[in-house]
Protein backbone atom coordinates (compact mmCIF):
# COMPACT_ATOMS: atom_id res chain seq x y z
CA UNK A 1 0.00 0.00 0.00
CA UNK A 2 1.24 3.43 -0.91
CA UNK A 3 0.21 6.46 1.07
CA UNK A 4 0.32 10.08 -0.07
CA UNK A 5 -0.16 12.68 2.68
CA UNK A 6 -1.00 16.23 1.66
CA UNK A 7 1.62 18.76 2.72
CA UNK A 8 -1.14 21.25 3.49
CA UNK A 9 -3.15 18.86 5.64
CA UNK A 10 -4.16 19.94 9.11
CA UNK A 11 -3.89 23.16 11.09
CA UNK A 12 -3.81 26.36 9.12
CA UNK A 13 -1.85 29.37 10.27
CA UNK A 14 -4.88 30.98 11.99
CA UNK A 15 -5.82 27.89 13.99
CA UNK A 16 -2.23 27.16 14.99
CA UNK A 17 -1.93 30.75 16.17
CA UNK A 18 -5.24 30.63 18.11
CA UNK A 19 -4.22 27.47 19.94
CA UNK A 20 -0.84 28.82 20.93
CA UNK A 21 -2.45 32.08 22.09
CA UNK A 22 -4.85 29.97 24.18
CA UNK A 23 -2.01 27.96 25.72
CA UNK A 24 -0.06 31.12 26.54
CA UNK A 25 -3.07 32.47 28.41
CA UNK A 26 -2.90 29.79 31.07
CA UNK A 27 -1.05 32.03 33.52
CA UNK A 28 -3.91 34.57 33.56
CA UNK A 29 -5.65 35.45 36.82
CA UNK A 30 -9.21 34.22 37.12
CA UNK A 31 -10.86 31.68 34.90
CA UNK A 32 -10.01 31.40 31.21
CA UNK A 33 -12.65 30.53 28.65
CA UNK A 34 -12.92 30.30 24.90
CA UNK A 35 -16.10 31.73 23.46
CA UNK A 36 -17.33 28.66 21.62
CA UNK A 37 -14.92 25.79 20.86
CA UNK A 38 -11.57 27.22 19.73
CA UNK A 39 -11.59 24.91 16.74
CA UNK A 40 -14.06 22.36 15.44
CA UNK A 41 -12.19 19.45 16.81
CA UNK A 42 -13.39 17.66 19.95
CA UNK A 43 -9.97 16.13 20.69
CA UNK A 44 -8.20 19.50 20.87
CA UNK A 45 -11.05 21.08 22.82
CA UNK A 46 -10.86 18.25 25.41
CA UNK A 47 -7.12 18.69 25.78
CA UNK A 48 -7.52 22.41 26.43
CA UNK A 49 -10.30 21.69 28.92
CA UNK A 50 -7.95 19.40 30.85
CA UNK A 51 -5.35 22.14 31.03
CA UNK A 52 -7.91 24.58 32.44
CA UNK A 53 -9.41 26.39 29.46
CA UNK A 54 -13.15 25.79 29.30
CA UNK A 55 -15.64 26.52 26.57
CA UNK A 56 -18.40 29.01 27.28
CA UNK A 57 -21.29 29.32 24.83
CA UNK A 58 -23.19 32.11 26.53
CA UNK A 59 -21.64 35.44 27.50
CA UNK A 60 -24.04 35.60 30.46
CA UNK A 61 -22.02 32.85 32.08
CA UNK A 62 -18.94 35.08 32.29
CA UNK A 63 -18.26 37.50 35.10
CA UNK A 64 -15.99 40.45 35.80
CA UNK A 65 -12.34 39.39 36.02
CA UNK A 66 -12.71 36.31 33.80
CA UNK A 67 -10.69 36.04 30.60
CA UNK A 68 -12.25 35.10 27.30
CA UNK A 69 -10.32 34.02 24.23
CA UNK A 70 -11.86 34.96 20.89
CA UNK A 71 -11.44 32.12 18.42
CA UNK A 72 -9.93 32.35 14.95
CA UNK A 73 -13.12 33.20 13.06
CA UNK A 74 -13.87 36.09 15.38
CA UNK A 75 -17.02 37.51 16.94
CA UNK A 76 -19.42 40.30 16.09
CA UNK A 77 -18.72 43.91 16.93
CA UNK A 78 -21.66 43.82 19.37
CA UNK A 79 -20.25 40.87 21.25
CA UNK A 80 -16.95 42.72 21.65
CA UNK A 81 -18.82 45.66 23.09
CA UNK A 82 -20.83 43.44 25.41
CA UNK A 83 -17.75 41.65 26.73
CA UNK A 84 -15.92 44.93 27.28
CA UNK A 85 -18.87 46.42 29.13
CA UNK A 86 -18.80 43.51 31.57
CA UNK A 87 -15.11 44.16 32.35
CA UNK A 88 -14.14 40.73 31.09
CA UNK A 89 -10.62 40.52 29.72
CA UNK A 90 -10.43 39.77 25.98
CA UNK A 91 -7.61 37.83 24.36
CA UNK A 92 -8.22 38.18 20.67
CA UNK A 93 -7.10 35.20 18.58
CA UNK A 94 -9.12 36.24 15.52
CA UNK A 95 -7.16 35.20 12.43
CA UNK A 96 -5.61 38.23 10.65
CA UNK A 97 -7.21 37.06 7.39
CA UNK A 98 -10.64 37.10 9.00
CA UNK A 99 -9.88 40.58 10.35
CA UNK A 100 -9.10 41.58 6.78
CA UNK A 101 -12.62 40.52 5.73
CA UNK A 102 -14.12 42.48 8.67
CA UNK A 103 -12.15 45.58 7.68
CA UNK A 104 -13.05 45.24 4.00
CA UNK A 105 -16.77 45.06 4.89
CA UNK A 106 -16.52 48.14 7.11
CA UNK A 107 -14.60 50.15 4.50
CA UNK A 108 -16.88 49.20 1.59
CA UNK A 109 -19.96 50.20 3.53
CA UNK A 110 -18.30 53.49 4.58
CA UNK A 111 -17.60 54.17 0.92
CA UNK A 112 -21.30 53.78 0.15
CA UNK A 113 -21.24 50.34 -1.49
CA UNK A 114 -24.05 47.82 -1.10
CA UNK A 115 -22.02 44.95 0.31
CA UNK A 116 -22.45 41.46 -1.15
CA UNK A 117 -20.88 38.66 0.85
CA UNK A 118 -20.28 35.26 -0.68
CA UNK A 119 -20.62 32.94 2.30
CA UNK A 120 -22.71 30.87 4.63
CA UNK A 121 -25.13 33.14 6.47
CA UNK A 122 -25.14 30.94 9.57
CA UNK A 123 -21.36 30.91 9.96
CA UNK A 124 -19.99 33.02 12.84
CA UNK A 125 -17.43 34.61 10.53
CA UNK A 126 -20.21 35.90 8.27
CA UNK A 127 -22.12 37.15 11.31
CA UNK A 128 -18.92 38.96 12.26
CA UNK A 129 -18.54 40.49 8.79
CA UNK A 130 -22.15 41.72 8.78
CA UNK A 131 -21.74 43.41 12.15
CA UNK A 132 -19.19 45.82 10.66
CA UNK A 133 -21.47 46.91 7.81
CA UNK A 134 -23.35 50.14 8.30
CA UNK A 135 -25.35 50.25 5.05
CA UNK A 136 -27.19 47.50 3.19
CA UNK A 137 -25.77 44.03 2.65
CA UNK A 138 -26.74 40.77 0.94
CA UNK A 139 -25.41 37.27 1.51
CA UNK A 140 -25.20 34.84 -1.41
CA UNK A 141 -24.07 31.25 -1.20
CA UNK A 142 -24.31 30.30 -4.88
CA UNK A 143 -24.82 31.61 -8.42
CA UNK A 144 -28.63 31.36 -8.25
CA UNK A 145 -28.80 33.57 -5.20
CA UNK A 146 -26.53 36.08 -6.97
CA UNK A 147 -28.78 35.99 -10.05
CA UNK A 148 -31.87 36.74 -8.00
CA UNK A 149 -30.37 39.86 -6.40
CA UNK A 150 -31.77 43.27 -7.35
CA UNK A 151 -29.60 45.85 -9.11
CA UNK A 152 -27.67 48.36 -7.04
CA UNK A 153 -25.73 51.48 -7.87
CA UNK A 154 -22.43 50.35 -6.34
CA UNK A 155 -21.64 46.82 -5.21
CA UNK A 156 -18.75 46.00 -2.89
CA UNK A 157 -18.03 42.29 -3.08
CA UNK A 158 -16.10 40.07 -0.67
CA UNK A 159 -16.17 36.50 0.65
CA UNK A 160 -16.02 34.49 3.81
CA UNK A 161 -12.35 33.43 4.00
CA UNK A 162 -12.97 29.72 3.45
CA UNK A 163 -15.06 29.95 0.28
CA UNK A 164 -14.20 28.48 -3.10
CA UNK A 165 -12.18 30.91 -5.23
CA UNK A 166 -13.60 29.80 -8.58
CA UNK A 167 -17.17 30.31 -7.38
CA UNK A 168 -16.13 33.67 -5.94
CA UNK A 169 -15.07 34.71 -9.43
CA UNK A 170 -18.17 33.23 -11.12
CA UNK A 171 -20.45 35.16 -8.78
CA UNK A 172 -18.41 38.29 -9.48
CA UNK A 173 -19.22 37.91 -13.19
CA UNK A 174 -22.94 37.81 -12.31
CA UNK A 175 -22.72 40.83 -10.00
CA UNK A 176 -20.95 42.91 -12.63
CA UNK A 177 -24.25 43.04 -14.52
CA UNK A 178 -26.21 44.11 -11.48
CA UNK A 179 -24.64 47.50 -10.83
CA UNK A 180 -22.95 50.47 -12.45
CA UNK A 181 -19.81 50.16 -10.31
CA UNK A 182 -18.29 47.15 -8.57
CA UNK A 183 -15.36 46.80 -6.19
CA UNK A 184 -14.11 43.32 -5.37
CA UNK A 185 -11.92 42.59 -2.35
CA UNK A 186 -10.45 39.11 -2.42
CA UNK A 187 -10.72 37.98 1.18
CA UNK A 188 -10.35 34.25 0.49
CA UNK A 189 -7.58 32.70 2.50
CA UNK A 190 -4.80 30.95 0.56
CA UNK A 191 -4.50 28.19 3.15
CA UNK A 192 -7.92 26.90 2.10
CA UNK A 193 -7.19 27.31 -1.58
CA UNK A 194 -3.88 25.46 -1.37
CA UNK A 195 -5.32 22.69 0.79
CA UNK A 196 -8.22 22.18 -1.64
CA UNK A 197 -6.03 22.19 -4.74
CA UNK A 198 -3.54 19.77 -3.29
CA UNK A 199 -6.33 17.43 -2.10
CA UNK A 200 -7.90 17.54 -5.57
CA UNK A 201 -4.58 16.69 -7.10
CA UNK A 202 -3.98 13.75 -4.75
CA UNK A 203 -7.58 12.46 -5.11
CA UNK A 204 -6.94 12.13 -8.84
CA UNK A 205 -3.94 9.88 -8.27
CA UNK A 206 -5.21 7.44 -5.64
CA UNK A 207 -7.67 4.54 -5.26
CA UNK A 208 -8.97 5.66 -1.88
CA UNK A 209 -8.94 9.06 -0.23
CA UNK A 210 -9.24 9.78 3.50
CA UNK A 211 -10.32 13.21 4.71
CA UNK A 212 -9.63 13.56 8.41
CA UNK A 213 -11.44 16.07 10.58
CA UNK A 214 -14.38 17.00 12.82
CA UNK A 215 -17.83 16.42 11.34
CA UNK A 216 -18.91 19.95 12.19
CA UNK A 217 -15.91 21.57 10.50
CA UNK A 218 -17.16 23.34 7.36
CA UNK A 219 -13.77 23.36 5.63
CA UNK A 220 -13.27 19.62 6.25
CA UNK A 221 -16.70 18.93 4.81
CA UNK A 222 -15.86 21.00 1.74
CA UNK A 223 -12.60 19.12 1.28
CA UNK A 224 -14.57 15.88 1.44
CA UNK A 225 -17.10 17.08 -1.17
CA UNK A 226 -14.35 18.19 -3.54
CA UNK A 227 -12.54 14.85 -3.31
CA UNK A 228 -15.77 12.80 -3.62
CA UNK A 229 -16.22 14.24 -7.10
CA UNK A 230 -12.79 13.00 -8.14
CA UNK A 231 -12.24 9.82 -6.17
CA UNK A 232 -15.26 7.55 -5.70
CA UNK A 233 -13.84 5.96 -2.56
CA UNK A 234 -13.46 9.09 -0.48
CA UNK A 235 -14.12 8.71 3.26
CA UNK A 236 -14.72 11.30 5.96
CA UNK A 237 -12.89 10.12 9.06
CA UNK A 238 -13.24 11.79 12.46
CA UNK A 239 -11.09 9.35 14.41
CA UNK A 240 -8.95 6.31 13.73
CA UNK A 241 -11.76 4.07 15.06
CA UNK A 242 -13.80 4.81 11.93
CA UNK A 243 -11.14 3.27 9.69
CA UNK A 244 -12.18 -0.17 10.91
CA UNK A 245 -15.22 -0.02 8.64
CA UNK A 246 -13.13 0.61 5.53
CA UNK A 247 -11.66 -2.21 3.46
CA UNK A 248 -8.11 -1.55 2.26
CA UNK A 249 -6.66 -3.62 -0.56
CA UNK A 250 -2.98 -4.40 -0.66
CA UNK A 251 -2.37 -2.73 -4.01
CA UNK A 252 -4.26 0.45 -3.06
CA UNK A 253 -2.78 3.88 -3.27
CA UNK A 254 -4.28 5.88 -0.41
CA UNK A 255 -4.40 9.67 -0.23
CA UNK A 256 -4.76 11.65 2.99
CA UNK A 257 -5.76 15.21 3.62
CA UNK A 258 -7.24 16.92 6.66
CA UNK A 259 -9.20 20.04 7.51
CA UNK A 260 -7.75 23.19 9.01
CA UNK A 261 -8.75 22.14 12.51
CA UNK A 262 -7.29 18.62 12.46
CA UNK A 263 -4.27 18.15 14.73
CA UNK A 264 -1.18 16.35 13.44
CA UNK A 265 -1.41 13.54 15.94
CA UNK A 266 -4.74 12.44 14.39
CA UNK A 267 -3.09 12.27 10.98
CA UNK A 268 -0.24 10.26 12.53
CA UNK A 269 -2.68 7.85 14.17
CA UNK A 270 -4.24 7.21 10.76
CA UNK A 271 -0.79 6.60 9.27
CA UNK A 272 0.05 4.14 12.08
CA UNK A 273 -3.22 2.32 11.44
CA UNK A 274 -2.47 2.01 7.73
CA UNK A 275 0.92 0.54 8.57
CA UNK A 276 -0.64 -2.19 10.65
CA UNK A 277 -3.96 -2.84 8.93
CA UNK A 278 -4.79 -6.27 7.57
CA UNK A 279 -5.49 -5.91 3.88
CA UNK A 280 -8.22 -7.74 2.00
FE1 LIG B 1 -7.24 32.05 9.01
FE2 LIG B 1 -7.30 30.92 6.74
FE3 LIG B 1 -7.13 29.49 8.83
S1 LIG B 1 -8.56 32.57 7.40
S2 LIG B 1 -8.17 30.64 10.41
S3 LIG B 1 -5.60 30.89 8.10
S4 LIG B 1 -8.28 28.99 7.03
Amino acid sequence: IKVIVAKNAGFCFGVERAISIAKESLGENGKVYTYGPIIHNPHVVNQLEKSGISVVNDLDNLKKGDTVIIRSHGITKYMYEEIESKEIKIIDATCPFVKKAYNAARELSHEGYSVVIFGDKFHPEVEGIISYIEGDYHIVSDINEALSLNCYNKIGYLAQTTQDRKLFQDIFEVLKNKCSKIKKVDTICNATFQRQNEAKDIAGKVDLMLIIGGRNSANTKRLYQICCKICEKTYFVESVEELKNIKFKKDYKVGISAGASTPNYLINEVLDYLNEVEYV
Side-chain angles (χ1 to χ4, degrees), residues 12-15 72-73 95-98 161-162 189-192 195 260:
C12 63
F13 154 80
V15 166
S72 58
H73 45 237
C95 174
F97 299 121
V98 173
T161 53
T162 46
C189 161
N190 275 336
T192 311
R195 185 180 307 104

Side-chain angles (χ1 to χ4, degrees), residues 35-246:
Y35 184 45
I38 195 140
I39 57 167
H40 289 303
N41 190 291
H43 300 269
V44 177
V45 172
N46 287 343
Q47 271 183 350
L48 285 174
E49 176 88 50
K50 277 186 204 141
S51 59
I53 302 172
S54 320
V55 176
V56 70
N57 290 306
D58 187 345
L59 293 179
D60 288 341
N61 294 336
L62 297 175
K63 54 182 190 313
K64 189 175 166 180
D66 286 341
T67 298
V68 66
I69 301 163
I70 307 303
R71 53 192 174 168
S72 58
H73 45 237
I75 54 169
T76 66
K77 188 175 137 198
Y78 313 107
M79 284 171 179
Y80 259 109
E81 289 163 0
E82 191 185 336
I83 296 172
E84 272 171 354
S85 73
K86 288 181 163 179
E87 293 180 52
I88 292 157
K89 192 174 167 208
I90 297 178
I91 296 179
D92 191 356
T94 307
C95 174
F97 299 121
V98 173
K99 278 261 167 77
K100 181 185 163 190
Y102 288 2
N103 292 337
R106 186 178 47 221
E107 280 161 24
L108 288 169
S109 72
H110 275 177
E111 290 164 22
Y113 288 90
S114 298
V115 181
V116 176
I117 305 140
F118 167 37
D120 167 4
K121 61 172 171 265
F122 300 112
H123 195 281
E125 184 190 321
V126 175
E127 287 168 5
I129 291 173
I130 294 167
S131 72
Y132 286 93
I133 298 173
E134 277 161 21
D136 62 322
Y137 67 83
H138 314 271
I139 303 163
V140 296
S141 61
D142 56 30
I143 294 273
N144 286 336
E145 287 180 12
L147 283 167
S148 61
L149 278 184
N150 290 331
C151 292
Y152 300 92
N153 182 26
K154 301 201 299 177
I155 288 182
Y157 178 47
L158 63 110
Q160 180 186 347
T161 53
T162 46
Q163 290 298 328
D164 179 85
R165 185 169 260 121
K166 161 126 188 3
L167 206 45
F168 181 60
Q169 185 59 30
D170 292 348
I171 291 175
F172 176 66
E173 297 303 324
V174 172
L175 297 179
K176 277 204 296 205
N177 299 319
K178 297 246 170 209
C179 58
S180 43
K181 187 177 178 196
I182 188 157
K183 184 167 174 185
K184 176 175 82 169
V185 185
D186 187 344
T187 47
I188 294 179
C189 161
N190 275 336
T192 311
F193 184 59
Q194 284 163 356
R195 185 180 307 104
Q196 289 176 353
N197 268 351
E198 194 191 13
K200 246 188 236 172
D201 189 46
I202 294 175
K205 294 177 184 159
V206 297
D207 304 290
L208 188 147
M209 187 78 193
L210 301 173
I211 304 296
I212 311 166
R215 293 215 190 277
N216 49 358
S217 153
N219 80 84
T220 313
K221 259 188 256 169
R222 192 159 302 125
L223 212 52
Y224 171 72
Q225 286 159 356
I226 288 171
C227 292
C228 275
K229 285 187 197 148
I230 300 166
C231 176
E232 206 183 296
K233 290 194 185 70
T234 297
Y235 295 88
F236 197 125
V237 180
E238 191 160 82
S239 73
V240 75
E241 289 301 306
E242 294 175 18
L243 292 175
K244 291 180 183 146
N245 304 321
I246 304 173

